[in-house]
């Protein structure tokens, strides 16, 4: 399990955007600590994060 900051770096998605993706259901954390509210992501979610980055990039190019 990776804390949100540790997931943010290899995924190239900012913490702010990860919060947004969680709220909108695009990319939800694998686990949220009920006591602290910390979000944790699985390494297995990195490929999906990569796809999101690619789609976002192409959407920005296309307008």
């Amino acid at each position: 399990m990776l804390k949100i900051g540790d997931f943010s770096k290899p995924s190239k998605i900012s913490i702010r955007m990860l919060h947004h993706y969680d709220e909108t259901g695009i990319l939800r954390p694998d686990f949220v600590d009920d006591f602290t509210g910390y979000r944790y992501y699985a390494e297995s979610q990195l490929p999906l994060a990569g796809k999101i980055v690619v789609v976002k990039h192409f959407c920005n190019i296309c307008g």
Side-chain angles (χ1 to χ4, degrees):
M1 293 289 231
L2 300 169
K3 290 182 183 179
I4 192 168
D6 296 329
F7 186 82
S8 173
K9 293 171 190 167
S11 69
K12 297 183 173 70
I13 300 173
S14 70
I15 292 171
R16 183 176 151 270
M17 286 308 297
L18 287 170
H19 282 239
H20 174 71
Y21 293 155
D22 179 19
E23 291 169 6
T24 58
I26 294 171
L27 179 60
R28 295 205 182 268
D30 193 50
F31 173 74
V32 178
D33 186 295
D34 291 333
F35 183 71
T36 64
Y38 289 168
R39 295 167 170 90
Y40 294 90
Y41 293 83
E43 288 184 29
S44 62
Q45 291 178 284
L46 284 169
L48 175 58
K51 291 175 186 176
I52 291 168
V53 169
V54 168
V55 169
K56 183 178 177 189
H57 175 75
F58 281 111
C59 288
N60 288 337
I61 290 174
C62 296

